[in-house]
Amino acid sequence: MEFKNFETLAIRTQMEQTSQREHSAPIYMNSGFTFNDAEHARALFSNEVEGNIYTRYSNPNNNEFIEKLCLMEGAEDGMSMASGMAAMFTSIAAFVSAGDHIVASRSVFGSTHQILTQLLPKWGISHTYVDIDNPEGFEEAIQENTKMIFIETPSNPAIDLLDIEYLGKLADKHGIILNVDNCFATPYVQNPLKLGAHIVTHSATKFIDGQGRTIAGAVLGSKELIEQVRFMARHTGPALSPFNGWILSKSLETLAVRMERHCENALALAQFLEEREEVEFVKYPFLPSHPQYELAKKQMRAGGGLTTFEVKGGIEAGRKFLNALKMCSFTANLGDTRTICAHPASTTHSKLTEEERLQVGITPGLIRISAGLEHIEDIKADIAQALEVSQLEVVEKVK
Ligand SMILES: *Cc1c(COP(=O)(O)O)cnc(C)c1O
């Protein structure tokens, strides 16, 4: 029987049952697989038949995870990776050679920024950054030797959006690849390949696992493009542990229900923050006040699990807000059952100058919230009391 619906695909896509007749998939925690005979081995190695050879190449748990993710994103093929960064690096490196050029949104994840600015130049690969509020800049930045456009939408931590359909067409016009890091949205909220992107990359560490248990990633796209990613991954070795593949395949079964609640809580929080006098502005894709609300409605199924706001009083007020939180976690991660608050100006982006921070939308009092799955009233109550403290002149640590 064939299924088309997201939830059913996530739950009913499963590896073949073994002779033990297990209901839920077992873990294949092994490195190698045997051959039936010399002919079978030859056919496997020359890609004439499908089958597992060695876990660096493929493994039943990783295959199940990636097969599901492909169905959920609308991808022909994919490759699981040991981390989101292994996915980002391999999805770029597989398609560029010395002398090539990449156009990227300036608002990319910190380690992606290090790959573009510190590592790729060692092999003669250059890049041009385009500010997220200047979408026309992408076309202007494309050169003769440009091979890829790399973006994230919604952006981190400013929650600005880029038009995937527009950039997909632009990439087609120039015969280059549009690579979208879809980690913030997840396949439940947004499917870049269906909007015209060529490669989709994920850090599965965030909402896909959703419970802060593991590091993993994935690269998805057409058979033809993934063939190049697979060649690079098989021979350079960023293979996912089968144990993590098993965890993540289970996680995908609940992605839809979890994302529904993450999005519902994030929207409720954004609406609540808009009413607070301590707050300068709130950004959430599905709030009518978001400057790209129409685009959000066009390319996203819901607003996502992250919202961001500016607390009045700048860096100092941002610090006070975080110190005053009693329930919400203070960590740099996101996409967890637990609500997480982050203050980029004093933590992840503190080494940048104020001007560099403003270029990527990080205002001094910007707080990013990754809405968790706790009861919304408890999340609101904690944030409300921390907002009150953020405006006090002298804060006494409440034990
Ligand atoms: C976390 C993250 C990554 C990196 O993923 P890891 O699993 O930590 O390697 C890449 N892109 C985005 C947008 C992320 O949030």
Side-chain angles (χ1 to χ4, degrees), residues 32-47:
F33 300 84
T34 60
F35 312 116
N36 297 336
D37 52 32
E39 172 50 26
H40 182 222
R42 187 205 59 78
L44 274 173
F45 274 99
S46 56
N47 287 329

Side-chain angles (χ1 to χ4, degrees), residues 314-369:
I315 289 216
E316 240 352 272
R319 280 212 187 102
K320 285 183 196 166
F321 172 84
L322 283 167
N323 286 337
L325 289 169
K326 294 191 170 116
M327 178 188 83
C328 297
S329 314
F330 176 23
T331 158
N333 201 11
L334 61 102
D336 197 283
T337 51
R338 295 164 183 80
T339 298
I340 295 169
C341 296
H343 181 222
S346 71
T347 58
T348 48
H349 294 71
S350 60
K351 289 202 184 70
L352 273 64
T353 64
E354 182 155 358
E355 197 192 328
E356 285 171 325
R357 281 198 292 267
L358 288 175
Q359 276 185 324
V360 288
I362 302 172
T363 43
L366 194 81
I367 308 280
R368 184 191 73 191
I369 304 184

Side-chain angles (χ1 to χ4, degrees), residues 256-266 371-375:
V257 285
R258 286 185 291 108
M259 285 315 293
E260 258 169 44
R261 182 60 67 82
H262 278 298
C263 295
E264 191 184 308
N265 281 354
L373 305 179
E374 304 97 335
H375 196 285

Side-chain angles (χ1 to χ4, degrees), residues 282-293:
V282 184
K283 289 270 269 305
Y284 185 68
F286 269 37
L287 275 188
S289 61
H290 192 289
Q292 294 160 298
Y293 179 63

Side-chain angles (χ1 to χ4, degrees), residues 210-391:
Q211 288 148 87
R213 299 169 297 186
T214 180
I215 299 279
V219 185
L220 313 172
S222 65
K223 274 214 166 347
E224 194 190 338
L225 294 180
I226 295 304
E227 212 36 67
Q228 296 180 61
V229 172
R230 181 173 289 120
F231 177 80
M232 180 145 190
R234 284 184 166 186
H235 302 299
T236 55
L240 182 64
S241 156
F243 181 71
N244 292 343
W246 175 81
I247 288 183
L248 293 163
S249 185
K250 291 268 139 229
S251 304
L252 287 178
E253 294 184 21
T254 57
L255 185 71
V257 285
R258 286 185 291 108
M259 285 315 293
E260 258 169 44
R261 182 60 67 82
H262 278 298
C263 295
E264 191 184 308
N265 281 354
L267 175 63
L269 265 182
Q271 286 165 338
F272 163 78
L273 287 164
E274 263 196 328
E275 300 298 318
R276 298 287 304 197
E277 58 178 22
E278 302 92 339
V279 173
E280 196 77 51
F281 66 80
V282 184
K283 289 270 269 305
Y284 185 68
F286 269 37
L287 275 188
S289 61
H290 192 289
Q292 294 160 298
Y293 179 63
E294 292 306 319
L295 175 61
K297 288 274 177 174
K298 190 182 92 172
Q299 69 184 20
M300 300 169 79
R301 175 176 177 174
L306 290 132
T307 182
T308 196
F309 70 96
E310 174 77 9
V311 61
K312 285 184 184 161
I315 289 216
E316 240 352 272
R319 280 212 187 102
K320 285 183 196 166
F321 172 84
L322 283 167
N323 286 337
L325 289 169
K326 294 191 170 116
M327 178 188 83
C328 297
S329 314
F330 176 23
T331 158
N333 201 11
L334 61 102
D336 197 283
T337 51
R338 295 164 183 80
T339 298
I340 295 169
C341 296
H343 181 222
S346 71
T347 58
T348 48
H349 294 71
S350 60
K351 289 202 184 70
L352 273 64
T353 64
E354 182 155 358
E355 197 192 328
E356 285 171 325
R357 281 198 292 267
L358 288 175
Q359 276 185 324
V360 288
I362 302 172
T363 43
L366 194 81
I367 308 280
R368 184 191 73 191
I369 304 184
S370 169
L373 305 179
E374 304 97 335
H375 196 285
I376 185 63
E377 294 308 325
D378 293 325
I379 308 174
K380 278 195 213 164
D382 192 27
I383 293 193
Q385 64 81 24
L387 279 174
E388 278 163 26
V389 174
S390 76
Q391 304 299 304

Side-chain angles (χ1 to χ4, degrees), residues 110-121:
S111 292
T112 307
H113 170 73
Q114 300 298 348
I115 288 176
L116 290 167
T117 59
Q118 306 295 321
L119 294 169
L120 292 178

